């Protein structure tokens, strides 16, 4: 080693999601309407918990993702995405939406250090999750964009040990809620997620319908089969805030 040369940073080979879980339990409130909302104001006012959030996110800077199992990697990326999103909202709070009508959204500019490299939220979603898990559209139920129209931010962190069952549960929760699928007189109104990312759900309307039927409850499945025609897409960008 040359004199004065910097020492390589030793990488961590594991991460605990317990601190993130404690924050979720404290600030995520499941609604009677099936939508989980976040008490961003309370988190903004609690400096100790904001510090805990920063500390949790900072763990990712030297995390060796290659040392993790595939399910551990997915859980880590999804939890990081959600934690950084919550931190961004808290930093900007109060606000009514993460994506004003005149904006393409902040996802490319929100960045974090993970595995020694800088990456944006856009990079996590499109460069990591949608690339490395291209065969599993359930990834879209794992990340939360701080909006009413998005799949819920869970009250527990993603964990490798229960990942498959938890992703199935998240898919069922979303698809069986009106913001996922609503039945119209002449067909279906579905979340814009199934339009924006149709390729991830099989690349056709028929494939999207098949995906929805995989998770729809009996009553909804019967209605979908009766008129399997997507007539409209919709998405509500209002903030998933407990104050609303």
């Amino acid at each position: 080693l040359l004199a004065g040369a910097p020492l390589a940073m030793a990488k961590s080979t594991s991460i605990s999601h317990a601190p993130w879980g404690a924050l979720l339990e404290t600030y995520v409130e499941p609604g009677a309407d099936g939508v989980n909302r976040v008490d961003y104001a309370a988190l903004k006012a609690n400096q100790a918990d904001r510090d805990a959030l920063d500390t949790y996110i900072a763990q990712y800077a030297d995390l060796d993702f290659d040392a993790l199992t595939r399910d551990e990697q997915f859980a880590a990326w999804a939890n990081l995405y959600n934690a950084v999103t919550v931190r961004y909202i808290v930093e900007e709070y109060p606000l009514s939406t993460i994506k004003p009508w005149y904006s393409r959204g902040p996802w490319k500019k929100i960045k974090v250090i993970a595995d020694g490299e800088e990456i944006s939220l856009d990079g996590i979603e499109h460069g990591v999750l949608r690339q490395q898990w291209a065969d599993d559209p359930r990834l879209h139920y794992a990340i939360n964009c701080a909006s009413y129209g998005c799949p819920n931010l869970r009250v527990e962190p993603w964990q490798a040990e229960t990942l498959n069952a938890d992703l199935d549960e998240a898919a069922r929760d979303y698809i069986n809620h009106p913001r996922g699928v609503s039945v119209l007189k002449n067909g279906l109104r579905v979340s814009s997620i199934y339009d924006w990312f149709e390729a991830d759900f099989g690349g056709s309307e028929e494939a999207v319908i098949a995906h929805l039927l995989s998770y729809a409850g009996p009553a909804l499945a019967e209605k979908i089969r009766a008129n399997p025609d997507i007539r409209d897409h919709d998405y509500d960008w209002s903030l998933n805030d407990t104050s609303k």
Side-chain angles (χ1 to χ4, degrees), residues 182-204:
S182 295
V183 179
L184 309 175
K185 289 183 178 180
N186 59 346
L188 307 171
R189 176 188 294 119
V190 303
S191 168
S192 296
I193 288 175
Y194 304 114
D195 179 33
W196 301 329
F197 304 109
E198 184 180 82
D200 298 358
F201 292 94
S204 68

Side-chain angles (χ1 to χ4, degrees), residues 2 28 32 47 61 67 76 81 98 110 115 123 160 167 170 181 199 217 225 229:
L2 297 177
V28 177
Q47 189 60 54
Y81 183 102
I98 193 173
I110 304 174
D115 203 356
L167 286 172
V181 181
R225 291 191 180 98
D229 184 14

